[in-house]
Amino acid sequence: MTGLTPAAERRERILREAVRQGLLDAERSQLAAFVDLDGVAATVESLHRAFPSSPPVLHAFAAKANCLVPVLAELRRLGMGCEVATAGELARALAAGFAPERIVFDSPAKTEGELRHALGLGVTVNADNHQELARIDRALGGRVPVSRIGVRVNSQLGGGSIAAMSTATSTSKFGIPLADPGSRQRLLRAYHDHPWLTWVHTHAGSQGCPLDLMAGGVGQAVAFAEEVNASLGRRQVVGIDIGGGLPVNFADDETTPTFDTYVRQLRAQAPALFSGRYEIVTEFGRSVLAKNGFTAAYVEYTKSMGGRPIAVTHAGVQVATRTVFNPDAWPLRIEAHDASGRAKRGGPVRQDIAGPACFAGDLLARDRALPLLEPGDIVTVPDTGAYYFSTPFHYNSLPEPAVHGVRTSGGGGVRFELLRPAQDPWDVPVFEPAAGMR
């Protein structure tokens, strides 16, 4: 008996093979990240199963959660679309091979040029405000759009436990409010005036938001769509984009809540969503990738300060930015391994797990009980497949780590695919200054 969960045993198996193959090395590659592609496929399958097959549902992966082009391409092969929030993410989605009609463009700050480009391609566009609607109208110039076009509405139902992740507050920067005086009537007039407005979009928030708040926001969006169609006497709104935001359990290896749990909540609070009158788009990101990735780093030094052991590792703020700057909202688990990648045994010792950056707050974990770490050991950080190593922070010019995709065979084999090469810290780009600057 190893005492490890099946997921932890799988991480150990991957880590030991990565060490054996030199993908992790105390001298050459002290930090690396891994995406479990088998796990990704299983998660996407569970997402497809949770929602009905009719009317059509487009599950558009939120590219911000992991914008590596090979990861996006893998999700495309698994039948997903892609939700993008910037021109850069749109470029990555196209590079990954997504057809424009399977891309959804959401942003509160789209430029006129970006709107013209997206509409010219046939990308779905969700407008954030009335000024953007006017820009879209000018860009269309009276033409019938190829794109699906919707409006993001804010139900203003409230927030969750992490303010920065809550987008259905009364003063959120996103969308058009439904509860402000006169706002709902003005938005109804916009649908009357623009027959090309055929979708409604909402997203109440993500990590820290309870499912009833998220489902309640969807219920408000569906109710507004029903109001539009009733007031027009025809079916103008044909689809609802319910956003994403399913929170992730970072406390252990259990996947909770599940997509099935969320769909049950949606059926209870937004039954008309499944009436057959509306196509559906989802925009899940963190819940698809987080638990299917982990980071691994060597312990370089250990010391004791004020009686507390400290392990200095090569993983810190550059790959765990949210955790370092807001540890209470974004705690991460730490697992201890020896130099071969095998899980360490021994009694728990409370210790700090520090990163390499040059400021005191660069800590992955504070006062964490683990087998006592020593130089040459390896720590792994589970649940980092979304928003962590895929979006590095370049503080101290710390290099981006290599990211490896992983597939396993029934016979026990482990196969790695390079998704992003490690950045060479010594390869410094040199820009020739303009003549007037010399």
Side-chain angles (χ1 to χ4, degrees), residues 151-160 166-169 176-179 184 187 200-206 209-226 239-244 262 265-273 281:
V151 172
R152 178 168 181 167
V153 299
N154 177 9
S155 63
Q156 298 178 290
L157 291 179
S166 301
T167 57
T169 61
I176 295 176
L178 290 180
R184 192 183 193 98
L187 186 55
V200 174
H201 172 225
T202 193
H203 176 76
S206 53
C209 288
L211 296 192
D212 61 341
L213 173 68
M214 295 166 54
V218 174
Q220 291 279 329
V222 174
F224 178 75
E226 300 266 79
I240 310 291
D241 184 333
I242 69 170
Y262 185 40
Q265 193 84 25
L266 288 170
R267 289 188 181 278
Q269 295 203 48
L273 180 68
V281 167

Side-chain angles (χ1 to χ4, degrees), residues 215-306:
V218 174
Q220 291 279 329
V222 174
F224 178 75
E226 300 266 79
E227 186 177 352
V228 171
N229 289 345
S231 67
L232 288 169
R234 57 185 168 81
R235 185 171 170 263
Q236 178 168 311
V237 176
V238 298
I240 310 291
D241 184 333
I242 69 170
L246 191 71
V248 167
N249 166 35
F250 287 97
D252 55 42
D253 279 328
E254 184 181 2
T255 298
T256 180
T258 64
F259 296 117
D260 286 327
T261 302
Y262 185 40
V263 169
R264 285 196 295 272
Q265 193 84 25
L266 288 170
R267 289 188 181 278
Q269 295 203 48
L273 180 68
F274 302 103
S275 64
R277 295 191 295 274
Y278 299 104
E279 297 178 39
I280 300 171
V281 167
T282 74
E283 300 175 355
F284 298 107
R286 180 182 291 107
S287 52
V288 174
L289 259 294
K291 300 194 84 65
N292 292 312
F294 70 92
T295 307
Y298 276 94
V299 177
E300 193 66 40
Y301 297 109
T302 57
K303 61 175 76 173
S304 181
M305 198 74 69

Side-chain angles (χ1 to χ4, degrees), residues 90 116 169 258 308 329 335 430:
L90 175 56
R116 287 194 299 271
T169 61
T258 64
R308 180 182 296 173
E335 297 172 337
V430 178

Side-chain angles (χ1 to χ4, degrees), residues 66-251:
N66 189 315
C67 58
L68 301 180
V69 171
V71 171
L72 297 179
E74 182 73 13
L75 292 164
R76 175 183 56 77
R77 288 189 287 270
L78 293 171
M80 294 197 74
C82 191
E83 183 269 338
V84 301
T86 65
E89 288 181 356
L90 175 56
R92 287 171 177 256
L94 293 169
F98 286 100
E101 63 270 19
R102 294 181 67 81
I103 300 174
V104 179
F105 189 16
D106 301 325
S107 166
K110 306 179 196 75
T111 67
E112 294 208 40
E114 289 168 357
L115 285 169
R116 287 194 299 271
H117 184 57
L119 293 169
L121 290 171
V123 167
T124 294
V125 173
N126 286 319
D128 184 78
N129 54 71
H130 288 284
Q131 293 171 3
E132 186 179 342
L133 285 176
R135 287 186 175 185
I136 292 172
D137 197 37
R138 289 195 299 271
L140 291 175
R143 298 185 304 275
V144 176
V146 177
S147 300
R148 296 178 295 192
I149 302 175
V151 172
R152 178 168 181 167
V153 299
N154 177 9
S155 63
Q156 298 178 290
L157 291 179
S161 61
I162 305 176
M165 298 292 107
S166 301
T167 57
T169 61
S170 62
T171 57
S172 170
K173 76 175 190 178
F174 291 103
I176 295 176
L178 290 180
D180 281 6
S183 183
R184 192 183 193 98
Q185 290 71 29
R186 184 184 178 192
L187 186 55
L188 273 170
R189 288 196 300 272
Y191 275 84
H192 279 247
D193 294 343
H194 303 306
W196 41 260
L197 272 181
T198 56
W199 279 70
V200 174
H201 172 225
T202 193
H203 176 76
S206 53
Q207 196 70 19
C209 288
L211 296 192
D212 61 341
L213 173 68
M214 295 166 54
V218 174
Q220 291 279 329
V222 174
F224 178 75
E226 300 266 79
E227 186 177 352
V228 171
N229 289 345
S231 67
L232 288 169
R234 57 185 168 81
R235 185 171 170 263
Q236 178 168 311
V237 176
V238 298
I240 310 291
D241 184 333
I242 69 170
L246 191 71
V248 167
N249 166 35
F250 287 97

